[in-house]
C-alpha cells in the first residue's frame, strides 16, 4: 500500500525538492504546501521538510495545549512529544482523509487525553481502504480546502465566541474553569457557545 | 446493514475534541466502527480541531533548541503500535481491547431473569460500560437512570416503546426516559450499555441486587 501511495504522489515529491522556496511561502504568494512536505517526510524521511512542518506546527500545538490549561513548560514538553510522534507515525498520514493540521490535531488531542486523564482512548476500527487505492490529487485538495474554509468561518466569529469554542469544546476546560478565567457567569458562557456554533453552521452553508 | 439510530452532535463533538470519558468514548468508537455516516461526521468535527490548531494568531513560541531536541529523538525506536485486531462478527475492534475475541470466554455474571452482564474495565470518572446479554424475548429489568445512557446493539435486536434497534443502532436515553428494552423473540441480544451513573432499578428485587452486581 505504501508503495502504491508514494507512486501516486510524484507531484508532491517534486514539490518536496523545492522545500527551500516553498517553505518561505514566497512562491506566488501562497503558503507552504504542508501536505506535500509531510508526504516527503512520510515517503522519504525528509528531515528538511520535517523541520518546516515542526517550525509551523510546534508553536501551534504548544498554544493549543496551553489553552487546555497546561503551563508553558509542560506544554513545551508535550508539544515535543506530539511533533516527534508526527515523525514516527508518518506512515499513517493520508492527505486525502485528513489535512495535515487535522491529523496533527488528533495526535495532540490523544497526547492530552493520555497525559491528563491517564485513560485509554478507544479508537474506531480501521476501514479497509483497499490495497491499490492511490490518493487522488482532487481529494487531497478538497480535504485541505475544507479545513481552510472551517478556519475562515471560525475567524469570522466574534472573539469571545471563538475563544469559548477553542477553550470549552476543544480545550477540555470545564465551563466553570472558564468562568473563573474570564469572570463571565456560567449561563452566559453556555449561551455564547450555543450562539457561536449556530453562527458557524450558518457560515458553512 | 442500515443503521437508523445514530450518535448525536454532542457526543461526536466531545469525542472529536477528546473531552469524553473512556466509557462513553468506547460506545462512540464502537458505533463508528459500524457506521460510515458517523465516521464521516467525526472527520468533520476533527477538521474543526485542525482549523482551530492552524487558525488564528495564537502561537506559543518554542524554546530555541526545540527543533534540535526533536531531531535528536527521531532515530530513537518508535513506540510499538497496538496490534491490529482481527475482524469479528459481533465485537468491533475497540471492544476487543477490553474483552478479547472469544464471546464464550467473557466472564458473565447473572442479573436475574436470564439477563447477564460483564462490566468492562474503563478508567476514570464519567460513566461505566458493560456488555448485556439478554435472552430472546426477555426484557432488561425495568430501570430508570441518572444522566445519560447509551445502548448499542452488537447482536440480535431489541425494541423499546415503538422503536426497533438492530446491530449498530445506538439508543441515547436521558434521565427523563423510563425505557425498557425488550430483546426480539428470534435471537438473544448482546448490547454495549454505558451509563453516567449506576442504574437504579424500579423493581424491588433488582434494586436490592444493584449494589451487589454494580449495575
Ligand atoms: Zn451512526
Amino acid at each position: 500500500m505504501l508503495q502504491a501511495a508514494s507512486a501516486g504522489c510524484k507531484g508532491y515529491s517534486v514539490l518536496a525538492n523545492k522545500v527551500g522556496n516553498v517553505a518561505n511561502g514566497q512562491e506566488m504568494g501562497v503558503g507552504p504546501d504542508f501536505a506535500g512536505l509531510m508526504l516527503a517526510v512520510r515517503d522519504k524521511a525528509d528531515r528538511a521538510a520535517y523541520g518546516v512542518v515542526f517550525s509551523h506546527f510546534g508553536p501551534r500545538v504548544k498554544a493549543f495545549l496551553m489553552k487546555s490549561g497546561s503551563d508553558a513548560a509542560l506544554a513545551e514538553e508535550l508539544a515535543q512529544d506530539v511533533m516527534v510522534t508526527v515523525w514516527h507515525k508518518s506512515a499513517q498520514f493520508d492527505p486525502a482523509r485528513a489535512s495535515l493540521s487535522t491529523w496533527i490535531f488528533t495526535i495532540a488531542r490523544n497526547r492530552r487525553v493520555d497525559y491528563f486523564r491517564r485513560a485509554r482512548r478507544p479508537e474506531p476500527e480501521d476501514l479497509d481502504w483497499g490495497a491499490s487505492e492511490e490518493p487522488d490529487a482532487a481529494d487531497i485538495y478538497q480535504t485541505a480546502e475544507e479545513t481552510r474554509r472551517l478556519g475562515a468561518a471560525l475567524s469570522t466569529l466574534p472573539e469571545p465566541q471563538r475563544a469559548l469554542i477553542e477553550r470549552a469544546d476543544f480545550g477540555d476546560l470545564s465551563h466553570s474553569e472558564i468562568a473563573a478565567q474570564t469572570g463571565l457567569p456560567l449561563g452566559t458562557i453556555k449561551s455564547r457557545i450555543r450562539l457561536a456554533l449556530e453562527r458557524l453552521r450558518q457560515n458553512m452553508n | 446493514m442500515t443503521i437508523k439510530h445514530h450518535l448525536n452532535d454532542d457526543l461526536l463533538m466531545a469525542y472529536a475534541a477528546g473531552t469524553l470519558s473512556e466509557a462513553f468514548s468506547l460506545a462512540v468508537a464502537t458505533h463508528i466502527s459500524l457506521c460510515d455516516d458517523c465516521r464521516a461526521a467525526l472527520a468533520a468535527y476533527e477538521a474543526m480541531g485542525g482549523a482551530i490548531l492552524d487558525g488564528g494568531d495564537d502561537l506559543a513560541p518554542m524554546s530555541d533548541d526545540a527543533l534540535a531536541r526533536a531531531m535528536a529523538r527521531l532515530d530513537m525506536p518508535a513506540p510499538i503500535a497496538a496490534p491490529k485486531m482481527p475482524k469479528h462478527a459481533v465485537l468491533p475492534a475497540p471492544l476487543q481491547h477490553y474483552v478479547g475475541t472469544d464471546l464464550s470466554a467473557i466472564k458473565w455474571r447473572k442479573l436475574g431473569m436470564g439477563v447477564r452482564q460483564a462490566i468492562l474495565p474503563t478508567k476514570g470518572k464519567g460513566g461505566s460500560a458493560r456488555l448485556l446479554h439478554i435472552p430472546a424475548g426477555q426484557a432488561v429489568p425495568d430501570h430508570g437512570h441518572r444522566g445519560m445512557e447509551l445502548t448499542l446493539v452488537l447482536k440480535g435486536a431489541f425494541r423499546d416503546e415503538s422503536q426497533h434497534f438492530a446491530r449498530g443502532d445506538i439508543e441515547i436515553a436521558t434521565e427523563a426516559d423510563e425505557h425498557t428494552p425488550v430483546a426480539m423473540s428470534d435471537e438473544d441480544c448482546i448490547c454495549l450499555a454505558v451509563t453516567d451513573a449506576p442504574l437504579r432499578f424500579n423493581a424491588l428485587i433488582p434494586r436490592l441486587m444493584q449494589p451487589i452486581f454494580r449495575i
Side-chain angles (χ1 to χ4, degrees), chain A residues 120 122-123 125, chain B residues 26-27 29-30 33 85 90-101 120 129-131 152 154 190-192:
Chain A
R120 190 190 279 187
E123 294 282 352
E125 196 164 299
Chain B
L26 177 58
T30 305
S33 299
M85 297 291 170
V90 175
L91 300 167
L95 272 174
Q96 292 180 27
H97 287 286
Y98 291 85
V99 294
T101 54
L120 306 181
R130 75 204 63 228
L131 292 176
L152 169 65
L154 298 165
I190 298 179
C191 306
L192 170 67

Side-chain angles (χ1 to χ4, degrees), chain B residues 94-114:
Chain B
L95 272 174
Q96 292 180 27
H97 287 286
Y98 291 85
V99 294
T101 54
D102 185 359
L103 276 176
S104 64
I106 294 175
K107 292 200 172 56
W108 297 101
R109 298 178 70 173
K110 290 182 182 141
L111 270 182
M113 289 169 283

Side-chain angles (χ1 to χ4, degrees), chain A residues 87-169:
Chain A
W87 174 272
H88 283 138
K89 292 205 167 159
S90 63
Q92 292 170 20
F93 174 62
D94 177 352
R97 289 172 64 178
S99 70
L100 182 58
S101 52
T102 300
W103 186 64
I104 293 180
F105 160 74
T106 62
I107 294 173
R109 169 200 69 193
N110 293 357
R111 185 73 189 97
R112 192 182 67 194
V113 171
D114 198 49
Y115 186 86
F116 288 103
R117 305 203 161 203
R118 301 191 184 284
R120 190 190 279 187
R121 177 181 162 89
E123 294 282 352
E125 196 164 299
D126 264 342
L127 278 187
D128 196 355
W129 291 86
S132 63
E133 196 82 16
E134 285 187 12
D136 179 69
D139 284 347
I140 296 174
Y141 175 77
Q142 169 96 31
T143 306
E145 182 61 15
E146 278 162 6
T147 310
R148 197 197 57 74
R149 281 185 57 215
L150 258 175
L154 264 175
S155 68
T156 65
L157 293 175
E159 176 54 30
Q161 293 185 3
R162 201 184 69 192
L164 284 175
I165 287 190
E166 290 175 355
R167 282 188 261 178
D169 294 313

Side-chain angles (χ1 to χ4, degrees), chain B residues 5-139:
Chain B
H5 302 280
H6 295 278
L7 298 164
N8 61 26
D9 284 344
D10 286 351
L11 286 166
L12 280 165
M13 170 102 157
Y15 180 73
T19 57
L20 208 55
S21 71
E22 183 178 337
F24 277 85
S25 294
L26 177 58
V28 170
T30 305
H31 176 82
I32 288 173
S33 299
L34 300 169
C35 177
D36 291 345
D37 288 347
C38 288
R39 190 187 287 270
L42 172 68
Y45 278 111
E46 288 179 337
M48 170 96 93
I52 287 172
L53 183 69
D54 207 15
D57 343 295
D58 279 329
L59 297 183
M62 296 184 76
S63 59
D64 292 340
D65 62 347
L67 178 58
R69 284 176 56 214
M71 288 284 195
R73 287 171 67 187
L74 299 188
D75 293 323
M76 293 178 186
I80 299 153
K84 202 167 155 46
M85 297 291 170
K87 271 266 176 226
H88 191 280
V90 175
L91 300 167
L95 272 174
Q96 292 180 27
H97 287 286
Y98 291 85
V99 294
T101 54
D102 185 359
L103 276 176
S104 64
I106 294 175
K107 292 200 172 56
W108 297 101
R109 298 178 70 173
K110 290 182 182 141
L111 270 182
M113 289 169 283
V115 179
R116 292 178 291 163
Q117 74 163 348
I119 293 178
L120 306 181
T122 54
K123 282 198 291 245
K125 284 182 289 191
S128 63
R130 75 204 63 228
L131 292 176
L132 289 174
H133 185 289
I134 313 160
Q138 180 70 54

